Amino acid sequence: MSVNIPSNSVPSSASRFQVHVINEGHGSAAAVSDSADPPHYEETSFGDEAPNRLRISFRPGNQECYDNFLPTGETAKTDTTFHAYDSHTNTYYLQTFGHNTMDAVPKIEYYRNTGSVSGPKVNRPSLLEIHEQLAKNVTVAPGSADRVANGDGVPGDEQAENKEEDMSGVVKFGWVKGVLVRCMLNIWGVMLFIRLSWIVGEAGIGLGVLIILLSTMVTSITGLSTSAIATNGFVRGGGAYYLISRSLGPEFGGSIGLIFAFANAVAVAMYVVGFAETVVDLLKESDSMMVDPTNDIRIIGSITVVILLGISVAGMEWEAKAQVILLVILLIAIANFFIGTVIPSNNEKKSRGFFNYQASIFAENFGPSFTKGEGFFSVFAIFFPAATGILAGANISGDLEDPQDAIPRGTMLAIFITTVAYIGVAICVAACVVRDATGSMNDTIVSGMNCNGSAACSLGYDFSRCQHEPCQYGLMNNFQVMSMVSGFGPLITAGIFSATLSSALASLVSAPKVFQALCKDNIFKGLQFFAKGYGKNNEPLRGYFLTFVIAMAFILIAELNVIAPIISNFFLASYALINFSCFHASYAKSPGWRPAYGIYNMWVSLFGAILCCAVMFVINWWAAVITYVIELFLYIYVTYKKPDVNWGSSTQALSYVSALDNALELTTVEDHVKNFRPQCIVLTGGPMTRPALLDITHAFTKNSGLCICCEVFVGPRKLCVKEMNSGMAKKQAWLIKNKIKAFYAAVAADCFRDGVRSLLQASGLGRMKPNTLVIGYKKIWRKAPLSELENYVGIIHDAFDFEIGVVIVRISQGFDISPVLQVQDELEKLEQERLALEAAIKDNECEEGKGGIRGLFKKAGKLNITKPAPKKDGNISTIQSMHVGEFNQKLVEASAQFKKKQGKGTIDVWWLFDDGGLTLLIPYILTLRKKWKDCKLRIYVGGKINRIEEEKISMASLLSKFRIKFADIHIIGDINIKPNKESWKVFEEMIEPYRLHESHKDLTTAEKLKRESPWKITDAELEAVKEKSYRQVRLNELLQEHSRAANLIVLSLPVARKGSISDLLYMAWLEILTKNLPPVLLVRGNHKNVLTFYS
């Protein structure tokens, strides 16, 4: 449908989708039938609605126009098909699509989170706004609906924009500077210059390269998993913690986040100790030691970490500049090493084991030569921390311009470049330097000496004494081999300084950033202090100082080989969970798992997770056990605390998939009587309004059956649905808070009975469908409107029609505590207002002479402190000033009676009619509960007076076959005798107001009375069921006699035959049956077996 609106009235709106209706042959039949070219009915254009905006026409043969859109959604300039308006002579109009509707076109603003720094969140029109009729008195100005639909005029947008963070001055990094440089510097750490030569000396070239490749395999798989998770939505600050927590949930994220932040803090110590070792070696050479090697390392390390802390605290921009400078130095140093390998060696270097590239040295160093106490995995444990820098870029994800693009590109390229460099350095150094050398130029071979067959021997040097006494040079002994080999030694020293300091600096930045993100999520309440950020970049200064303290503590250890295995396990645990996160998210098959980075495989990620766990134990089994114990403790702690967060984790997705699969699998299994359990619909209304009814039901459904708390909203659908939807989450949260294992369900209906009927038919899923209806006894049935009474009895009939069992619960004080809750709400509001007024007075006292009493009233007005409006209900207004505990104390106590532990007593089961066993099963389940376990079952059944013993034995035999323990069995033989006159008189007085007494009138009058009051009890009806009425009265006498002291009475519910028993008479039966008794459960199953004695 099109609407004719003049083209000059097109409303202005940003980023619109337009449809231009074109008539190329206005009024001309010839034009319509014209030519080879098909007629063009629509022209679609996108563009910004500026005064002279460009319009793009899509026409056959103009495919290049489709390519004029940039990835951002904007259009590129071109000379073809762009015009300020359509040049056709017969254009009807150009009109914005959606100009006359509240419906909104897709915009990114609708999908942002509240408080997003990338732009304001805009609320699209609700379904209610576009579905309901517009109010007659609302005038929609031209273009106003269009503006609202696009978020241009939504109230509160100005506030949202004001809340946006001021982005000016914030430092953001691209993928090279933010990720690639950072990862390369962190990976090329202390190991490259001062440990790689030792590793290849111990393991040989073959196993050395294998160690590097094994480490690369772990990091590459982790890098792929990280890339997949990082591209599955917007990534905020927090790095590995953010990725794991948003994927696996706060339990895993919180535990590993704390460990990962701690590991980065310890890594600072490791890199600084590596730097200090190099400085101490230089001091040894110049004979300038301060104290001794160990203490010198501590002193130098402490000074270094203080300087690094100063750079970090100065801000990310300074830290980034320092990293670039360090990378340049590092690259020069690596190049200097490769150049040095081809510069001819002199005698001094030869005496220290360097002979340039020699095939004999390569062959000799190809195999392993582990010294005492070392092995493949111990060497691997020393090297692996060199590979742990792959998350250096991800750890500052909050400081990246585009984390989704930067993290995959920078991380994977850094892994590739650094791996090539490691392998190249390892092979080159092992092909040039022998394992052991004395450093003495006199150890040359002279003619006549026997050569021991070593590569050095064949090259003219005899280092055989290194087999008997320790030597200071060679791959195995000298950690400064690369400095000796290089073209200019000081450059290698500068490279060592650069590598160690850059890695330390990256870790010093990563640890506080990850820790700050963890603290901001408030998973560990005690760490909230460290969440605060400072400055434009939200720098975690408090986290920096905490990291500094941890690093200082480990620097004092001063042993690099002790520190390295500890952090290896911490990082491996983090990597294992990142890989498992990727696998878990893929396995959960959540529609929300749509990573833009597609080069990953869920099974490879799982293999990576298993590999990480295996490597942890191989490296150091006791450190792995400690790591897992710490992680398990933190996981249990977070699970116990249940942080109030919802990140849409894959754990939630998998829980849903598992529940769905189990529910579907359950449908393939036929019901069996042995697996029967009460699955209840409980008509509680709001679950907090009838807690006693919910408590008694929960007592026999907890951990064994389904329990659904149901509420029916009666009235106009629009209002009901609004009220129902607004309270859903709150009421389910109340159930969870009170540890009640139940669901909350609500329906809106025209009448109460229709709503319950819908619930009875549609509730549940597959085999998990309700089989029992639980309702409270309608205590005020005599005062209730007839429609309510009809609905109440009607739902019992409906339940039986649907073959659903019924349980009616009666307690002396009733169930509804709404008045008490109302008073509580009033008192809470008054208390809040009192506190607000006190705060206002206190503020006013602090501002002496600044407004006086007038200022106080202004403050009170702002706080909206007003007198509570009086309620229409006289009872409520009377009790407003009373304390809740003083209002109807009995009702409050009664509402909590089933929460308490029931003392020693009895549950009396009056199993009068066989309903399949539900009347017996419910009390049996109750006795299994902690609160009811001290109560014994007493069974009461009807029987013949002359066969009491036989029937008692028969019932005992049946119960023993059912394996139900009981304290006693009573056979009641006088149920069918008439009740005494006093009891019967009470019953007659009860029904007197509702009797028709038509038998005392003439026929015409009687018929008229029946038509006018069809709901009344007729004499004919009363006479027809007189025996049943006697039975109810007599049963009450017997209950008073035998069960007055019971904790609970479970009694067979009498069934009213439809069309034969009036609603009022049935309610009178229930009233007289349960009058003046302890809590009573009237139970009637659906007459299908729920008990069996077969195995």
Side-chain angles (χ1 to χ4, degrees), residues 733-776:
W734 184 90
L735 291 170
I736 294 169
K737 182 181 177 183
N738 287 273
K739 298 179 180 178
I740 295 173
K741 296 184 178 181
F743 298 97
Y744 172 76
V747 293
D750 295 330
C751 75
F752 181 70
R753 184 176 180 182
D754 286 347
V756 176
R757 194 182 286 136
S758 299
L759 289 166
L760 290 172
Q761 294 178 89
S763 295
L765 185 68
R767 297 287 182 198
M768 294 184 293
K769 289 184 71 69
N771 52 34
T772 306
L773 171 68
V774 181
I775 57 176

Side-chain angles (χ1 to χ4, degrees), residues 433-665:
V433 183
V434 296
R435 282 191 166 103
D436 295 297
T438 60
S440 173
M441 288 185 286
N442 297 324
D443 287 341
T444 54
I445 294 176
V446 294
S447 57
M449 289 183 64
N450 290 326
C451 189
N452 61 4
S454 66
C457 189
S458 64
L459 294 170
Y461 279 81
D462 179 20
F463 299 140
S464 57
R465 63 190 174 97
C466 291
Q467 298 175 3
H468 312 292
E469 58 184 65
C471 293
Q472 294 183 349
Y473 297 98
L475 294 176
M476 306 277 278
N477 309 302
N478 183 16
F479 290 152
Q480 305 298 329
V481 165
M482 288 188 67
S483 180
M484 177 191 67
V485 171
S486 65
F488 182 61
L491 273 180
I492 293 296
T493 303
I496 294 171
F497 291 170
S498 171
T500 52
L501 292 177
S502 64
S503 297
L505 194 56
S507 296
L508 187 57
V509 170
S510 296
K513 292 280 185 183
V514 172
F515 192 60
Q516 183 188 35
L518 175 67
C519 297
K520 274 186 176 180
D521 288 334
N522 204 22
I523 292 176
F524 300 99
K525 303 288 185 185
L527 301 178
Q528 185 66 21
F529 173 79
F530 296 99
K532 184 173 175 58
Y534 297 86
K536 291 284 186 183
N537 270 59
N538 198 32
E539 295 291 347
L541 297 186
R542 296 173 179 178
Y544 282 132
F545 286 106
L546 179 64
T547 305
F548 168 76
V549 171
I550 294 170
M552 281 293 292
F554 278 87
I555 285 169
L556 296 179
I557 297 175
E559 283 292 334
L560 193 61
N561 288 7
V562 174
I563 297 172
I566 296 173
I567 68 165
S568 292
N569 275 284
F570 283 176
F571 281 118
L572 276 166
S574 306
Y575 293 173
L577 272 184
I578 289 175
N579 285 310
F580 184 72
S581 297
C582 185
F583 163 76
H584 200 269
S586 304
Y587 185 73
K589 298 182 180 70
S590 171
W593 174 249
R594 303 184 301 275
Y597 188 83
I599 310 173
Y600 76 97
N601 181 276
M602 59 184 286
W603 300 111
V604 172
S605 296
L606 179 61
F607 171 73
I610 296 170
L611 186 63
C612 289
C613 294
V615 169
M616 284 178 69
F617 282 96
V618 170
I619 287 176
N620 194 317
W621 69 267
W622 58 264
V625 169
I626 290 172
T627 303
Y628 279 115
V629 167
I630 294 171
E631 188 177 331
L632 181 63
F633 171 77
L634 293 172
Y635 178 88
I636 293 170
Y637 173 82
V638 176
T639 305
Y640 175 74
K641 288 295 183 180
K642 288 187 173 63
D644 186 20
V645 294
N646 182 10
W647 295 324
S649 66
S650 60
T651 307
Q652 295 170 342
L654 192 62
S655 296
Y656 175 83
V657 171
S658 299
L660 190 61
D661 289 342
N662 290 334
L664 288 169
E665 188 177 345

Side-chain angles (χ1 to χ4, degrees), residues 237-315:
Y241 159 72
Y242 185 88
L243 299 178
I244 294 171
S245 62
R246 268 50 176 186
S247 183
L248 288 179
E251 296 84 5
F252 281 107
S255 57
I256 205 64
L258 207 57
I259 290 175
F260 188 75
F262 181 75
N264 272 286
V266 176
V268 175
M270 185 189 78
Y271 296 126
V272 168
V273 168
F275 166 77
E277 277 188 4
T278 307
V279 176
V280 168
D281 286 342
L282 292 175
L283 293 176
K284 279 183 184 177
E285 290 177 7
S286 60
D287 198 23
S288 304
M289 297 290 292
M290 291 180 283
V291 187
D292 57 66
T294 302
N295 283 311
D296 282 7
I297 288 172
R298 289 170 180 157
I299 294 168
I300 295 166
S302 300
I303 295 170
T304 305
V305 81
V306 170
I307 296 170
L308 293 177
L309 178 67
I311 296 172
S312 302
V313 170

